[in-house]
């Protein structure tokens, strides 16, 4: 459908009216409810997304994608305990489902249960050693523990080996370099991330901050301008640009 096409091309706002009409026409199709739930999550409407993910599960109880979507929607709605329950149910139904462990790990982080979260992500990696997402999420959790930065780097580098276009993995590696005082390496790595995801305003802003620290204010201003072109009114970019121009 046209709605699904918009979702696939990362245009969820345009997808919404088409998917709502599709659900109205065929309320018995779990897949359409799931597509609508995904678009609602992306457009910041998690409570409605929960409703449609639940409806997809009522229609097809073994629809594992709907269970994951429900977990994600619950997370976005701030219902973290409920999300943990849903992810555990998904694992109980399919113990070898790596994506459910990824979702569980991210939910456990929100509960501040980092050791359990690491275990969940390690289980995801063992179940699907070719999953860049599993390694990325594992690295993202490990980097929050200062005594495990080397382990975090190893996981993030593996994510990049599996998916060389993984901009967020490069961005996280840049954060680790920055925390270690390796400014040149941080700039180099974050530049790769920006080149891979030039539409990401936050990446431009973060690179600008590093460039300012390195005394490269001309380049920094270009990235601040890029951040504001992508996201007018970006609070960080607006403030730093005002400071540069003072």
């Amino acid at each position: 459908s046209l709605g699904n096409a918009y979702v696939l091309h990362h245009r969820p706002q345009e997808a919404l009216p088409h998917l709502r009409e599709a659900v109205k026409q065929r309320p018995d199709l779990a897949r359409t409810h799931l597509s609508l739930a995904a678009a609602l999550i992306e457009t910041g409407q998690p409570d409605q997304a929960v409703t449609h993910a639940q409806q997809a599960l009522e229609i097809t109880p073994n629809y594992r994608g709907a269970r994951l979507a429900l977990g994600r929607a619950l997370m976005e709605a701030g219902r973290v305990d409920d999300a943990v329950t849903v992810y555990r149910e998904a694992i109980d139904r399919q113990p070898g489902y790596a994506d459910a462990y990824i979702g569980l790990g991210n939910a456990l982080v929100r509960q501040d249960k980092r050791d359990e979260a690491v275990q969940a992500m390690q289980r995801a990696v063992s179940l699907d050693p070719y999953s860049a997402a599993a390694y990325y999420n594992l690295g993202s959790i490990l980097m929050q523990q200062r005594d495990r930065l080397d382990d975090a780097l190893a996981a993030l580098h593996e994510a990049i080996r599996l998916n060389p276009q993984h901009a967020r993995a490069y961005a996280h590696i840049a954060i680790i370099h920055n925390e270690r005082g390796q400014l040149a390496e941080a700039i180099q790595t974050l530049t790769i991330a920006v080149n891979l995801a030039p539409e990401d305003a936050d990446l431009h802003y973060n690179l600008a901050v590093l460039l300012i620290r390195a005394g490269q204010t001309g380049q920094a201003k270009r990235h601040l301008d890029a951040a504001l072109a992508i996201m007018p009114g970006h609070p960080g970019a607006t403030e730093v640009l005002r400071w540069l121009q003072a």
Side-chain angles (χ1 to χ4, degrees):
S1 71
L2 185 57
N4 285 323
Y6 279 129
V7 170
L8 288 173
H9 288 86
H10 307 289
R11 295 162 65 181
Q13 194 65 53
E14 295 169 80
L16 282 176
H18 301 284
L19 291 171
R20 291 188 192 280
E21 181 61 27
V23 165
K24 186 185 298 183
Q25 295 294 327
R26 289 295 305 273
D28 58 322
L29 289 181
R31 184 175 60 185
T32 307
H33 282 285
L34 181 57
S35 295
L36 178 54
L40 288 165
I41 291 171
E42 294 300 325
T43 54
Q45 303 174 72
D47 291 325
Q48 291 186 48
V50 168
T51 298
H52 286 283
Q54 288 173 329
Q55 289 176 339
L57 279 175
E58 289 172 6
I59 296 166
T60 309
N62 291 324
Y63 197 166
R64 68 181 193 177
R67 205 170 297 278
L68 284 191
L70 176 57
R72 185 182 171 200
L74 289 166
M75 286 271 288
E76 295 294 329
R79 296 167 58 184
V80 180
D81 292 347
D82 291 335
V84 168
T85 298
V86 167
Y87 288 128
R88 291 196 188 281
E89 288 174 354
I91 291 167
D92 287 342
R93 286 173 173 267
Q94 291 183 290
Y97 193 14
D99 286 346
Y101 279 99
I102 293 174
L104 176 61
N106 286 323
L108 289 168
V109 168
R110 293 274 292 275
Q111 291 183 326
D112 204 27
K113 298 177 179 177
R114 301 193 185 280
D115 290 341
E116 290 183 50
V118 169
Q119 292 174 7
M121 292 304 181
Q122 289 173 331
R123 181 60 176 153
V125 164
S126 68
L127 288 169
D128 188 357
Y130 299 103
S131 170
Y135 279 103
Y136 166 72
N137 281 280
L138 174 59
S140 298
I141 296 173
L142 290 171
M143 67 184 286
Q144 298 174 36
Q145 304 174 34
R146 293 194 63 83
D147 61 338
R148 304 203 63 180
L149 292 183
D150 287 339
D151 294 333
L153 278 175
L156 293 167
H157 279 298
E158 184 62 15
I160 290 169
R161 187 186 71 81
L162 292 165
N163 177 11
Q165 307 301 309
H166 206 311
R168 283 289 166 183
Y170 278 107
H172 279 20
I173 290 172
I175 291 171
I176 294 174
H177 283 312
N178 186 48
E179 288 184 1
R180 288 179 162 176
Q182 300 165 336
L183 182 57
E185 291 86 347
I187 290 172
Q188 181 181 24
T189 308
L190 194 52
T191 298
I192 296 172
V194 168
N195 289 337
L196 289 171
E199 75 293 342
D200 191 317
D202 288 333
L203 290 181
H204 282 284
Y205 166 70
N206 291 333
L207 180 55
V209 171
L210 293 181
L211 289 166
I212 290 170
R213 287 179 53 205
Q216 302 177 44
T217 55
Q219 289 189 49
K221 185 179 182 302
R222 284 194 288 274
H223 285 286
L224 292 170
D225 289 339
L228 289 168
I230 297 164
M231 186 185 295
H234 187 290
T238 301
E239 183 179 347
V240 174
L241 190 59
R242 187 182 299 119
W243 174 77
L244 282 178
Q245 294 172 339

